[in-house]
Amino acid sequence: MVKTLKHDADRLALIRSLDLLSLAGSPDLDRITELAAYAFRVPIALISIVEEAEQRFISAAGTLLERTELEASICAHAIEQQDVFEVEDLSLDERFRSNRLVTGSPKMRFYAGAPLMISSGHAIGTICLIDHVPRALTDDERDKLCSFARLVVGQISLLRSIGRRDPMTGLPNRQQLVGDLVDMQRTRADAGMHWFCIFDILDIQSANRVVQAVGLAPMESIIRQIGYRLSDLLPSSSPLYHVGVTRFAFVAEEQAEGELCALLAQLKAVAKQPVTTHGLVLQGMFFCGITTFDLSDTSDVLRRGVTAMHEAIEKRKTWCRYNLERDASLQRRYALATEVESAIENEEFFLMYQPRLCIETLRLRGAEALLRWQHPTLGAISPNEFIPVIESTMLMPTLTQWVLRRALQQMQEWDELGVVLDVSVNLSASDFNDGTLPGQVMATVEEFGVDPKRVELEVSESEWLRGRSGVVEQLETLRSHGFAVALDDFGSGYSNFSYLNEFPATIIKLDRSLITGMENDDRRSTLVRTLLKLAAELGYKTVAEGVESAEQLGLLKKWHCVEAQGFFISKPLEPDRLLELVKASASS
């Protein structure tokens, strides 16, 4: 059975990004393996790189072997050790006695390997010793083999710089930054606080547009020029690192925050000075994240700095300090995203239904299906929190289909009890991605025997304004099969009646931000009245969201709004409670 390695995806990506296999045949590495064979008096010494399906020998002494399949690799076991992995007699070890390298050529009996551990903490391979007869290393020899492993890593670092210089700017890059932080932690005894600063100097979307128009050379020139300007401002004790396409960072010794802010102000001024190249004059930007750290723990510094930098970008501030509460919120979002799939499987999601009132008859005619999440440890999670999280994953279409099935199943159950209620279901932008939405919706309706005319599909107007291809076509298909299509949150910031000529909506839902306070605001009431009149003249059914008072409901009735929903009518209810409310409404 093929050996399964810990953290294999990260390790393999690192091997490829550093192009370690290109070091095969290096005379500098060959001298190390030859020296190891001589020092330990073994016929074979190898430097291995352990890949996904095989191990490759980038240096070998005493054999022409270049690779073996992972199944035959003893090094795959060695790289998971912190120290030397030694087997005195492979033919007596249950794990290896049937290994083809033991039973056949080169007739291995003894193996000792030390992992090649680079600064990121990943073991990329080993330096190993092989003999044709059983033997054992002394403690001194084991220490010596570990020293050889460090020598190999150092030589690889020298040959490849472990990708530690950015080829565009020549500045030390992110790998060098991580390595330097580790070195600081290992070699320095001071316990004072240090500053880590990371900043973005160009809008990546604007940069991409420039690249598309004139090629890479001008953009690379701009990044180099700004990088050199910034580097010249920093003291020699704080080298500038090029840690991303448009991002730079540095570490500052302990100093007053005022001094650091003065330095950042200088860096900003330099970054924003116009840059001329290839006939273009462009201006950089400067958004910086800063965080403090001490040398007892440097492992999370870069992530904290990036978190602060993104806050600065979002708030359009020159710099932001790392915010623990914001970070906790981001990590909670990530944790929730990883739990969505299991939450679906474990039935943690459920539906509530908010009734919709026919304003003319004051009867409940339908309800909006609203998704809820009862987490086993976090309790009830607000939809305002988890919906954006789910929309950022690939699971939103799966969850939408789950909602649709549950809502239609509930309609079927209500029908059997003699209560006829229409139901609306919210759609997300990602539901339209692969073009299968109409077929899935129609198949589900047929499965539960529900008339499509009783099913309303709600789409936020922002989804339409993003210009996603295929949305209109899919909604038109659904409309042609009788489904109602509602434009949700109308008036929340993107309202434009002109695009309704193309958008296949049948219903306009006025956003609660328009309804709230309209009874005390002449300007707002005029706007709502005008929107309702225009929508009616264009043939749209109108629904007002967020109705919270009898006065608001009275105005909506006066202005001929068709339906309303909101806490004045009812908060979202469980199916049984909604059924009771509908029956009470029908009998009154």
Side-chain angles (χ1 to χ4, degrees):
M1 185 171 66
V2 176
K3 175 87 171 132
T4 301
L5 303 175
K6 293 184 294 186
H7 311 303
D8 212 30
D10 289 341
R11 193 179 58 79
L12 293 171
L14 187 63
I15 288 171
R16 284 158 178 74
S17 68
L18 300 179
D19 196 21
L20 296 179
L21 299 180
S22 67
L23 299 178
S26 164
D28 300 286
L29 294 178
D30 288 345
R31 280 191 285 270
I32 295 176
T33 51
E34 290 166 4
L35 179 61
Y38 174 79
F40 290 94
R41 302 178 305 281
V42 292
I44 300 174
L46 301 164
I47 296 174
S48 71
I49 301 295
V50 181
E51 294 194 284
E52 183 175 18
E54 63 180 5
Q55 63 177 353
R56 301 276 292 276
F57 303 115
I58 60 174
S59 181
T63 180
L64 297 177
L65 198 62
E66 294 181 351
R67 70 184 72 197
T68 70
E69 67 279 15
L70 195 62
E71 198 172 37
S73 172
I74 303 172
C75 295
H77 294 263
I79 66 170
E80 295 193 315
Q81 311 302 314
Q82 295 297 317
D83 202 349
V84 172
F85 180 70
E86 181 181 1
V87 183
E88 297 180 11
D89 190 340
L90 293 164
S91 66
L92 300 180
D93 192 299
E94 185 176 350
R95 293 169 295 178
F96 308 115
R97 62 188 178 193
S98 60
N99 188 304
R100 68 171 182 82
L101 301 178
V102 176
T103 59
S105 179
K107 291 285 186 181
M108 294 167 50
R109 295 293 294 279
F110 167 77
Y111 174 93
L116 304 178
M117 194 75 68
I118 62 175
S119 60
S120 66
H122 294 86
I124 56 173
T126 70
I127 178 171
C128 61
L129 311 173
I130 295 169
D131 207 337
H132 303 305
V133 296
R135 58 175 294 181
L137 297 180
T138 65
D139 289 343
D140 183 61
E141 287 175 323
R142 293 170 69 88
D143 290 340
K144 187 185 297 183
L145 184 55
C146 289
S147 296
F148 266 92
R150 290 192 290 271
L151 179 62
V152 171
V153 171
Q155 190 61 50
I156 289 175
S157 300
L158 187 61
L159 291 171
R160 178 55 67 206
S161 296
I162 306 287
R164 293 192 177 193
R165 285 277 167 182
D166 181 83
M168 185 194 336
T169 60
L171 293 170
N173 66 5
R174 183 175 61 83
Q175 284 78 16
Q176 184 66 55
L177 169 63
V178 172
D180 288 349
L181 288 172
V182 172
D183 290 342
M184 287 174 64
Q185 187 176 27
R186 185 174 63 247
T187 61
R188 295 174 57 169
D190 57 297
M193 299 301 295
H194 295 70
W195 294 99
F196 174 72
C197 304
I198 179 170
F199 40 91
D200 208 336
I201 61 160
L202 283 174
D203 175 63
I204 194 65
Q205 292 184 340
S206 299
N208 285 336
R209 285 193 290 270
V210 172
V211 169
Q212 292 176 53
V214 297
L216 283 169
M219 190 51 55
E220 291 179 344
S221 175
I222 291 168
I223 293 170
R224 271 194 298 270
Q225 289 186 55
I226 296 178
Y228 297 154
R229 292 177 182 178
L230 297 172
S231 183
D232 289 342
L233 283 177
L234 296 174
S236 58
S237 59
S238 297
L240 185 69
Y241 299 88
H242 189 181
V243 295
V245 177
T246 62
R247 294 176 180 178
F248 295 86
F250 68 92
V251 176
E253 302 291 333
E254 182 179 11
Q255 59 181 284
E257 185 172 351
E259 295 177 9
L260 178 68
C261 290
L263 175 59
L264 293 178
Q266 289 181 290
L267 293 171
K268 175 185 177 180
V270 166
K272 298 195 73 172
Q273 289 177 2
V275 180
T276 302
T277 181
H278 294 72
L280 296 173
V281 180
L282 296 176
Q283 185 179 43
M285 64 182 195
F286 189 88
F287 294 107
C288 180
I290 59 179
T291 186
T292 57
F293 70 99
D294 63 55
L295 296 182
S296 65
D297 182 14
T298 62
S299 61
D300 203 34
V301 172
L302 182 58
R303 188 195 65 80
R304 295 203 306 267
V306 169
T307 298
M309 182 191 69
H310 278 287
E311 182 178 6
I313 293 173
E314 291 168 10
K315 294 181 176 179
R316 312 309 290 176
K317 296 179 65 174
T318 300
W319 58 79
C320 284
R321 285 196 65 171
Y322 168 73
N323 184 308
L324 182 60
E325 291 183 0
R326 181 177 184 274
D327 192 11
S329 175
L330 290 172
Q331 294 197 44
R332 175 179 162 108
R333 282 174 57 90
Y334 175 79
L336 290 177
T338 64
E339 295 180 30
V340 171
E341 198 163 9
S342 62
I344 295 174
E345 295 174 357
N346 297 332
E347 297 286 332
E348 295 171 21
F349 290 107
F350 63 98
L351 295 183
M352 301 281 280
Y353 296 87
Q354 184 163 33
R356 288 237 301 253
L357 180 76
C358 174
I359 298 178
E360 182 64 31
T361 65
L362 298 181
R363 293 288 185 266
L364 299 180
R365 299 287 299 276
E368 179 179 357
L370 299 172
L371 185 63
R372 297 292 185 260
W373 185 356
Q374 184 67 30
H375 193 281
T377 57
L378 300 176
I381 304 174
S382 167
N384 292 333
E385 179 180 10
F386 73 76
I387 291 294
V389 170
I390 299 174
E391 287 180 334
S392 68
T393 73
M394 297 179 65
L395 290 172
M396 195 67 227
T398 300
L399 195 55
T400 297
Q401 183 63 18
W402 181 91
V403 171
L404 182 65
R405 289 184 58 82
R406 286 299 174 93
L408 294 181
Q409 183 181 28
Q410 186 62 64
M411 289 179 71
Q412 185 184 59
E413 293 176 6
W414 284 331
D415 286 350
E416 292 172 354
L417 294 172
V419 176
V420 179
L421 281 175
D422 298 347
V423 169
S424 62
V425 173
N426 290 279
L427 300 180
S428 171
S430 57
D431 295 325
F432 296 90
N433 284 348
D434 61 6
T436 62
L437 178 67
Q440 292 177 352
V441 173
M442 288 185 286
T444 308
V445 166
E446 290 178 9
E447 178 184 351
F448 290 100
V450 174
D451 186 347
K453 294 179 181 178
R454 296 175 54 203
V455 179
E456 179 182 311
L457 304 172
E458 297 190 18
V459 181
S460 170
E461 60 172 318
S462 61
E463 310 296 1
W464 159 242
L465 291 174
R466 290 173 189 169
R468 306 181 77 92
S469 61
V471 173
V472 172
E473 291 82 357
Q474 292 178 67
L475 289 175
E476 285 178 340
T477 299
L478 288 164
R479 269 201 61 180
S480 69
H481 285 80
F483 294 93
V485 175
L487 192 59
D488 197 13
D489 301 329
F490 193 83
S492 59
Y494 294 91
S495 301
N496 187 341
F497 271 101
S498 64
Y499 66 75
L500 292 175
N501 289 324
E502 298 180 13
F503 192 82
T506 56
I507 300 168
I508 290 178
K509 298 188 70 176
L510 298 185
D511 188 71
R512 67 177 61 247
S513 62
L514 292 174
I515 306 303
T516 301
M518 68 176 185
E519 67 274 26
N520 300 314
D521 187 330
D522 291 341
R523 186 180 181 88
R524 183 168 300 183
S525 64
T526 300
L527 177 60
V528 172
R529 183 174 68 252
T530 303
L531 289 175
L532 289 171
K533 184 175 185 297
L534 183 55
E537 290 177 353
L538 291 172
Y540 294 101
K541 175 181 175 181
T542 52
V543 179
E545 298 181 291
V547 177
E548 297 181 353
S549 71
E551 189 174 358
Q552 290 175 353
L553 189 63
L555 288 173
L556 292 168
K557 181 177 182 179
K558 179 180 178 181
W559 298 333
H560 306 294
C561 184
V562 179
E563 292 185 1
Q565 68 182 83
F567 275 26
F568 177 70
I569 298 157
S570 173
K571 64 180 182 180
L573 301 171
E574 296 176 350
D576 292 345
R577 294 286 308 280
L578 176 59
L579 193 60
E580 293 174 4
L581 184 64
V582 171
K583 290 179 178 179
S585 172
S587 61
S588 61

